[in-house]
Amino acid sequence: MLPLLFIRKFIMSVSSNHLTIKDIAKLSGVSKSTVSRVINHDPMVKESTRNKVMAIIEQYQFTPSKSARAMRGYGNKVIGIIVTRLDSMSENQAVRCMLPIFYEHDYDPIIMESQFKVEKVQEHLSMLKEKQADGVVIFAFTGLDNNVLSFWQNKSVIMARSYPDYNCVCYDDIGAVTQLLHHLHLTKKHQKIAYIGVEEQDQTTGAVRYQAYLAFCQRYNIIPHAYLGKLSFLSGYDLAPLVLASAPTAIVCATEAIALGLNKYLYEKQLNHIVVASVGNSELLNFLFPQTLFIELGFDKAGTYAANKLIAMLQKVTDFNAIAKTMTIPSQLNHSSS
Amino acid sequence: MLPLLFIRKFIMSVSSNHLTIKDIAKLSGVSKSTVSRVINHDPMVKESTRNKVMAIIEQYQFTPSKSARAMRGYGNKVIGIIVTRLDSMSENQAVRCMLPIFYEHDYDPIIMESQFKVEKVQEHLSMLKEKQADGVVIFAFTGLDNNVLSFWQNKSVIMARSYPDYNCVCYDDIGAVTQLLHHLHLTKKHQKIAYIGVEEQDQTTGAVRYQAYLAFCQRYNIIPHAYLGKLSFLSGYDLAPLVLASAPTAIVCATEAIALGLNKYLYEKQLNHIVVASVGNSELLNFLFPQTLFIELGFDKAGTYAANKLIAMLQKVTDFNAIAKTMTIPSQLNHSSS
DNA sequence: TTGTACGCGTTATCAT
DNA sequence: ATGATAACGCGTACAA
């Protein structure tokens, strides 16, 4: 009786058009190893044979099996991108800049959602580890501590927050708020500038931006009037009457969502003499309330930088003397309405 | 001289804590084959041995190497999701419902952007083919024809548009517009209902919804007043004065973006007696103009359905008699403001 | 410079 | 019911 194995093999060799390194070897009259060497750019192959093999590879559109080389420890050419929420405008902008760069370098980005949960990050990370992903981009959030990330130390870029010994890409929260205030106070001569922010539990959007406001006030002798709430339109709307009690001529908002809420309130009350300034911008804010002054945190630049950085990291085989650094993306003031 | 291979092997066996099926076999006193059988739920293993092996697997938190089993032709457990734009609110909502379902079944979803370009879809698709992805979800758009998709015929779900011989999940554009009009005309007794839509080049959002409006008008003897523009806030804002010329008491908008633009215009002109109705909703529309009547197309339900459908398709080994069907997700009218 | 032989972790076939 | 062994496609130490 003929073993089934042989039958299957025969069928395969006829019907399946999936070429392997072996087939290429046969077709170009060399051994598997040589083909492998050609593929991996081994300098020890003769020019002539290389050309010969390359020709066959091109002709048959051969691509080595990803799974097989993954098994040999070559990495899957996979990069995980863990965002907090898929519908976060800011992260979206950054991610959209990353994707083409990863594609360019033949990496397959796989996007996952943490929903601000540490356990989700852990889950995704172990999934990626199993899959032998090559690198990760993680959008950090309040509560995420670095011990979860240790395995990825030299193959990850952390966004929006700075961790020691990790490569991070941060936004210039302090600079953004300061520039906004600088423009309002020094250029536009506003004296009474209030602030609506986010609770200090949130490190960057909350605490840092608020502190920047306080610091500026102290330096320029402005009496601070600040209210902190949640990260939503509603919060901006609800805090509006409170902050107006101090009769400000300008109000700085920690986020564009808050600015949207505030603007709605001001519009309803016909208080259109008050200048609204916001960290961050959106198409909608710009459309609905075009007079709003805003400063871009540079999510697109951050995304581009992060992707390039990660790829550079992964290309170094062993980077002993590569120091993990935090890059701060400079903010850019919107001058169209100034 | 000791071959390097052995040295490496020795080092690996000591330092690397990565367990393989072999190690589990050794630890539980059986052969690799039996462990494999346990993993793959082969009914031919004795209860006692299964429990023994399972215990070891649990204890050591063993997970079979994805790459290795992928090489054995088990599929990569990868599903491609091709969205048009990463920041499309509607697609986002659908995708967010899909992800947990795919994770649940141990599939790795990889999200890609087509940017409404056919060539991008092609590019992504061939990348996924190379990667031996198991299935695809594609968000269709005007201009995408099915000959690009032929390879994926029985392993894909197409969103938002119906193709013969493919499994599709569509939104009930006609039903949505009709329900909206039904409510306005029959329940709220509006007689003059105008429409702002999208150019008919866009099949679903443009043509279909517009036709539904016209059909309703004809049936109920309403004089149609419609203007078609682009898919943006600005279009809604710009077309507002034109559509107001017919002195309508209610205006139906093809999208929430248009509704947003229209609302802005009406608010500025203090025309708050006019009822705005919209297909689709967003947190923002709801917050800024809560009196807007809207109908949900059910993106979340569509996402959930699509994901489950795809997984069901992939589980059937050979589905000869499975007929490709188009599922239409029912719309749901918002009754909070009725 | 190239070919041979083996190993990676898993599953399938065949023999016990 | 279980074990031994040959594949899968690829990379690489070693011999030639």
Side-chain angles (χ1 to χ4, degrees):
Chain A
M1 174 194 141
L2 206 58
L4 271 182
L5 204 56
F6 289 167
I7 297 179
R8 209 191 82 205
K9 202 174 170 183
F10 176 73
I11 293 175
M12 290 292 282
S13 75
V14 176
S15 70
S16 175
N17 54 350
H18 199 81
L19 294 179
T20 78
I21 196 174
K22 207 184 209 163
D23 301 314
I24 301 297
K26 220 166 285 175
L27 285 165
S28 41
V30 295
S31 75
K32 297 188 301 179
S33 348
T34 306
V35 178
S36 178
R37 288 188 183 102
V38 171
I39 292 170
N40 298 311
H41 305 102
D42 189 320
M44 292 301 153
V45 312
K46 212 201 297 177
E47 245 340 89
S48 60
T49 42
R50 147 162 297 132
N51 294 134
K52 194 168 53 183
V53 174
M54 281 298 266
I56 302 289
I57 289 181
E58 291 294 333
Q59 181 184 340
Y60 287 86
Q61 292 276 25
F62 166 76
T63 356
S65 152
K66 306 252 180 192
S67 3
R69 45 176 25 207
M71 212 183 62
R72 297 294 299 136
Y74 250 55
N76 242 338
K77 282 277 193 181
V78 166
I79 288 178
I81 302 177
I82 304 182
V83 301
T84 58
R85 289 185 47 146
L86 222 48
D87 57 353
S88 156
M89 277 302 173
S90 53
E91 296 185 4
N92 232 296
Q93 208 174 328
V95 171
R96 295 186 77 212
C97 290
M98 294 179 188
L99 296 186
I101 299 174
F102 287 140
Y103 289 148
E104 189 88 20
H105 292 259
D106 207 39
Y107 282 99
D108 286 332
I110 126 168
I111 301 174
M112 326 176 98
E113 224 182 10
S114 73
Q115 295 165 191
F116 299 101
K117 304 239 175 72
V118 182
E119 71 249 34
K120 281 274 177 192
V121 175
Q122 239 158 345
E123 194 180 303
H124 293 329
L125 244 30
S126 67
M127 182 181 281
L128 289 166
K129 185 172 171 183
E130 232 179 64
K131 229 190 134 51
Q132 294 165 253
D134 306 79
V136 215
V137 176
I138 303 172
F139 286 83
F141 50 87
T142 304
L144 181 72
D145 48 341
N146 53 359
N147 60 3
V148 181
L149 318 170
S150 59
F151 175 81
W152 302 91
Q153 189 132 13
N154 60 339
K155 24 184 156 175
S156 62
V157 172
I158 317 291
M159 308 289 293
R161 215 136 303 194
S162 178
Y163 293 94
D165 304 325
Y166 284 84
N167 277 95
C168 305
V169 177
C170 288
Y171 307 114
D172 188 13
D173 293 282
I174 297 174
V177 174
T178 309
Q179 271 189 70
L180 231 37
L181 289 165
H182 194 96
H183 182 79
L184 290 170
H185 184 60
L186 269 32
T187 309
K188 295 294 181 181
K189 306 296 177 196
H190 284 274
Q191 300 301 326
K192 307 185 76 172
I193 308 176
Y195 179 84
I196 303 181
V198 179
E199 286 156 352
E200 294 194 78
Q201 293 159 325
D202 185 312
Q203 278 181 43
T204 54
T205 312
V208 174
R209 297 184 194 179
Y210 176 52
Q211 294 302 329
Y213 168 73
L214 291 181
F216 188 92
C217 288
Q218 181 151 34
R219 177 138 67 105
Y220 289 95
N221 224 23
I222 297 172
I223 301 160
H225 289 286
Y227 286 88
L228 305 184
K230 301 205 70 185
L231 208 156
S232 66
F233 330 115
L234 214 63
S235 186
Y237 187 82
D238 291 341
L239 292 177
L242 300 178
V243 83
L244 285 171
S246 63
T249 58
I251 302 172
V252 172
C253 301
T255 74
E256 77 264 23
I258 292 174
L260 220 36
L262 172 63
N263 267 315
K264 182 185 174 179
Y265 185 90
L266 294 179
Y267 197 85
E268 283 174 3
K269 305 290 180 189
Q270 302 283 346
L271 299 166
N272 44 22
H273 56 282
I274 295 177
V275 173
V276 177
S278 154
V279 176
N281 181 32
S282 66
E283 237 183 318
L284 246 153
L285 176 61
N286 205 7
F287 167 68
L288 291 169
F289 307 104
Q291 77 286 7
T292 303
L293 176 72
F294 62 87
I295 185 163
E296 308 255 24
L297 283 177
F299 300 116
D300 45 358
K301 278 175 189 140
T304 306
Y305 180 85
N308 285 322
K309 178 72 186 175
L310 185 56
I311 286 171
M313 287 166 66
L314 297 179
Q315 277 177 356
K316 302 252 172 203
V317 202
T318 44
D319 46 355
F320 288 114
N321 50 355
I323 322 136
K325 268 200 303 192
T326 291
M327 165 68 169
T328 301
I329 303 291
S331 308
Q332 186 145 5
L333 194 67
N334 159 265
H335 277 283
S336 72
S337 64
S338 68
Chain B
M1 173 195 143
L2 206 57
L4 269 183
L5 204 55
F6 291 167
I7 298 179
R8 209 190 82 204
K9 205 173 168 184
F10 177 73
I11 293 174
M12 289 292 282
S13 75
V14 176
S15 70
S16 175
N17 54 349
H18 199 81
L19 294 178
T20 78
I21 196 174
K22 208 181 203 164
D23 301 313
I24 301 298
K26 219 167 285 176
L27 286 165
S28 39
V30 296
S31 74
K32 297 190 298 180
S33 332
T34 304
V35 178
S36 178
R37 288 189 183 100
V38 171
I39 293 169
N40 298 311
H41 306 101
D42 188 320
M44 292 301 151
V45 319
K46 213 201 298 177
E47 246 339 270
S48 60
T49 42
R50 146 161 299 133
N51 293 135
K52 194 168 54 183
V53 174
M54 281 298 267
I56 302 288
I57 289 181
E58 290 295 331
Q59 181 183 340
Y60 286 88
Q61 291 277 22
F62 165 77
T63 356
S65 152
K66 302 253 180 191
S67 1
R69 47 175 25 200
M71 211 184 64
R72 293 292 310 161
Y74 251 54
N76 246 335
K77 283 278 194 179
V78 167
I79 287 178
I81 302 177
I82 304 182
V83 301
T84 59
R85 290 185 48 146
L86 223 50
D87 57 353
S88 156
M89 276 302 172
S90 53
E91 296 185 5
N92 233 297
Q93 209 174 329
V95 171
R96 296 186 76 212
C97 290
M98 293 179 188
L99 296 185
I101 299 174
F102 287 141
Y103 290 149
E104 188 88 21
H105 292 258
D106 208 38
Y107 282 99
D108 285 333
I110 125 169
I111 301 174
M112 323 176 102
E113 225 183 11
S114 72
Q115 294 165 193
F116 298 101
K117 304 241 175 70
V118 182
E119 70 249 35
K120 282 273 178 193
V121 175
Q122 240 158 345
E123 194 179 302
H124 294 328
L125 245 28
S126 66
M127 181 182 282
L128 289 166
K129 186 173 170 181
E130 232 178 62
K131 228 188 135 51
Q132 297 164 251
D134 305 80
V136 214
V137 175
I138 303 172
F139 286 83
F141 50 87
T142 305
L144 181 73
D145 48 342
N146 53 359
N147 60 2
V148 181
L149 318 171
S150 59
F151 177 81
W152 302 92
Q153 190 133 11
N154 60 338
K155 24 184 157 176
S156 62
V157 171
I158 317 292
M159 308 289 293
R161 213 137 305 195
S162 178
Y163 293 92
D165 303 325
Y166 284 84
N167 277 95
C168 307
V169 177
C170 288
Y171 307 115
D172 188 13
D173 294 281
I174 296 175
V177 173
T178 308
Q179 271 189 69
L180 231 37
L181 289 165
H182 195 96
H183 182 79
L184 290 171
H185 184 60
L186 269 32
T187 308
K188 295 294 181 181
K189 304 297 176 195
H190 284 274
Q191 300 301 325
K192 307 186 76 173
I193 308 175
Y195 178 84
I196 303 181
V198 180
E199 287 157 352
E200 295 194 78
Q201 293 159 324
D202 186 312
Q203 279 180 42
T204 54
T205 312
V208 173
R209 296 185 194 179
Y210 176 52
Q211 293 303 330
Y213 168 74
L214 292 181
F216 188 92
C217 287
Q218 181 152 32
R219 178 139 65 106
Y220 289 95
N221 223 23
I222 298 172
I223 302 161
H225 289 285
Y227 286 88
L228 305 185
K230 302 203 70 185
L231 209 154
S232 67
F233 329 115
L234 215 63
S235 187
Y237 187 83
D238 291 341
L239 292 178
L242 300 178
V243 83
L244 286 171
S246 62
T249 56
I251 302 173
V252 172
C253 301
T255 75
E256 77 264 24
I258 292 174
L260 220 36
L262 172 62
N263 267 315
K264 181 184 174 179
Y265 185 88
L266 295 178
Y267 197 86
E268 283 175 3
K269 303 291 179 190
Q270 303 284 348
L271 299 166
N272 44 22
H273 56 284
I274 295 178
V275 173
V276 178
S278 154
V279 176
N281 182 33
S282 67
E283 236 183 321
L284 246 154
L285 176 61
N286 206 7
F287 167 67
L288 291 169
F289 306 104
Q291 77 287 4
T292 304
L293 175 72
F294 62 87
I295 184 161
E296 308 255 26
L297 283 176
F299 299 116
D300 45 358
K301 278 174 190 141
T304 306
Y305 180 86
N308 285 323
K309 178 73 187 174
L310 186 55
I311 285 171
M313 288 166 66
L314 297 179
Q315 277 175 356
K316 301 252 174 203
V317 202
T318 44
D319 45 356
F320 288 113
N321 51 355
I323 321 136
K325 269 199 302 189
T326 291
M327 165 69 168
T328 302
I329 303 291
S331 309
Q332 187 146 4
L333 193 68
N334 159 265
H335 278 283
S336 72
S337 63
S338 69

